[in-house]
Amino acid sequence: MRNNIIDLGLFLFLAVIWSSSFLLIKISVETIPPYTLTAGRLCIAAILFWVYLAATREKLPLNSESLIVYLVVALLGHCFPYTLISWGETRISSSLAAILMGIMPVVVVFLAHWLIPDEPLNRTKAMGVAISFLGLLLLVGFATFSHLQQDILGQLGVLGGAICYALCTIYIRHHNPTGIRALATGTMTVGGGISLILAFVFENPLHIQPTISSIAATLALGLLPTALATLMYFRLIRRLGASTFSQINYLIPILGGLWGIWLLDEPSSWKLFGSLALVLIGIYLVQKSNPELRKQD
């Protein structure tokens, strides 16, 4: 029981960390272009993990199976979704993007039913996902569906990013890799290398002139929403299961709104807190339906 409480606490903490990335990215991209920013945050995280491995003398597996895992997780969990979502949001509204990102937990739940034996879809889980999605709709407004006439390619970009995250979550849960720190190191190294190549191809990062605030925000992105969050991400998928973990996608935009109220003096709304209540109820129901939590007591 104690381990479950710790895991759920880490789940909420991870949602807080990831929700802060919206604010940090907004500050960073003022003077640092997107590919360079992605490469920067991944390389910062990779350096931190390599320093840790060197200090602890922990070995990084470099066999063919491990390299494939690093590449798949780097592409599906970082490179593809970062690029697709960023590009898509330049063409469609943020509210519509939030709705499309809400597809991710739905995809995870259905894929988990077919690919992960101990995560079957049942009535309680389906009800939990539906309630969480309703909470997201309450936050962004049902009128958002009228925006479906916006740029189709932009919608496909964001939807593609959401599906990448779903596939990555299922892949990690299905393979259940051991050595979380080694997995994080390999993933960040591969992802950082790919992003760095893209940055030099498209943006010429050596000639940018970032401000101090953008540099500080990028460092914070590398430390918290990338390095620390990745360790928690790998742990929680294994401990909570893919279905429960995927519900974090509904919690992040709500917490992002709370960041805006707290730091940017944005007006509060009953919809924000109503959405939070619905999402927490949905998460509880999905978690309750997962047998793996009870097995770990």
Side-chain angles (χ1 to χ4, degrees):
M1 181 65 180
R2 180 175 176 272
N3 286 337
N4 293 342
I5 293 175
I6 292 174
D7 289 334
L8 290 174
L10 287 176
F11 175 85
L12 294 174
F13 183 48
L14 178 57
V16 170
I17 291 176
W18 271 347
S19 67
S20 71
S21 65
F22 294 108
L23 179 62
L24 294 172
I25 289 172
K26 186 175 182 179
I27 297 172
S28 297
V29 295
E30 289 178 355
T31 55
I32 300 176
Y35 284 117
T36 302
L37 173 60
T38 299
R41 63 187 291 190
L42 290 175
C43 288
I44 289 168
I47 290 170
L48 289 174
F49 288 136
W50 276 108
V51 169
Y52 178 86
L53 290 187
T56 58
R57 298 183 179 180
E58 185 176 339
K59 299 293 184 181
L60 179 68
L62 294 176
N63 54 65
S64 58
E65 183 178 354
S66 296
L67 291 175
I68 291 173
V69 172
Y70 301 154
L71 179 61
V72 171
V73 175
L75 291 176
L76 292 179
H78 299 290
C79 299
F80 288 165
Y82 285 0
T83 303
L84 288 169
I85 294 169
S86 298
W87 179 80
E89 287 203 62
T90 64
R91 307 170 73 99
I92 64 174
S93 66
S94 59
S95 58
L96 180 55
I99 291 291
L100 294 171
M101 287 300 296
I103 298 298
M104 179 266 195
V106 178
V107 174
V108 168
V109 166
F110 279 99
L111 287 179
H113 175 74
W114 295 106
L115 299 176
I116 303 174
D118 58 359
E119 293 198 44
L121 178 62
N122 52 45
R123 185 177 300 176
T124 302
K125 184 177 293 185
M127 185 181 301
V129 173
I131 291 174
S132 293
F133 192 74
L134 182 63
L136 178 64
L137 289 179
L138 178 63
L139 176 67
V140 301
F142 291 89
T144 300
F145 285 109
S146 64
H147 298 168
L148 289 174
Q149 299 176 355
Q150 292 181 6
D151 191 287
I152 296 298
L153 290 177
Q155 294 181 48
L156 291 176
V158 174
L159 189 60
I163 292 174
C164 283
Y165 280 134
L167 293 174
C168 186
T169 300
I170 291 294
Y171 181 82
I172 293 172
R173 180 70 176 88
H174 186 264
H175 285 266
N176 198 21
T178 56
I180 289 176
R181 288 177 292 274
L183 175 61
T185 304
T187 300
M188 292 296 112
T189 302
V190 173
I194 294 172
S195 299
L196 202 57
I197 293 172
L198 293 174
F200 274 99
V201 170
F202 295 107
E203 294 173 345
N204 198 5
L206 296 179
H207 290 81
I208 65 173
Q209 296 180 325
T211 61
I212 296 298
S213 59
S214 289
I215 293 174
T218 302
L219 287 172
L221 278 169
L223 291 171
L224 294 175
T226 308
L228 178 60
T230 296
L231 293 177
M232 297 166 66
Y233 169 59
F234 291 149
R235 170 191 165 96
L236 289 172
I237 289 177
R238 185 163 53 185
R239 298 279 298 176
L240 298 180
S243 300
T244 296
F245 180 82
S246 67
Q247 302 306 298
I248 202 170
N249 238 45
Y250 295 130
L251 196 55
I252 289 172
I254 297 172
L255 294 176
L258 293 176
W259 279 106
I261 293 172
W262 180 38
L263 296 177
L264 303 178
D265 293 325
E266 295 179 353
S268 61
S269 168
W270 68 267
K271 289 185 178 181
L272 185 64
F273 297 99
S275 299
L276 179 60
L278 286 173
V279 169
L280 290 177
I281 292 171
I283 290 172
Y284 170 76
L285 291 174
V286 174
Q287 177 269 331
K288 184 180 178 182
S289 72
N290 273 350
E292 59 267 27
L293 273 177
R294 294 190 290 276
K295 289 177 183 178
Q296 292 168 9
D297 287 342

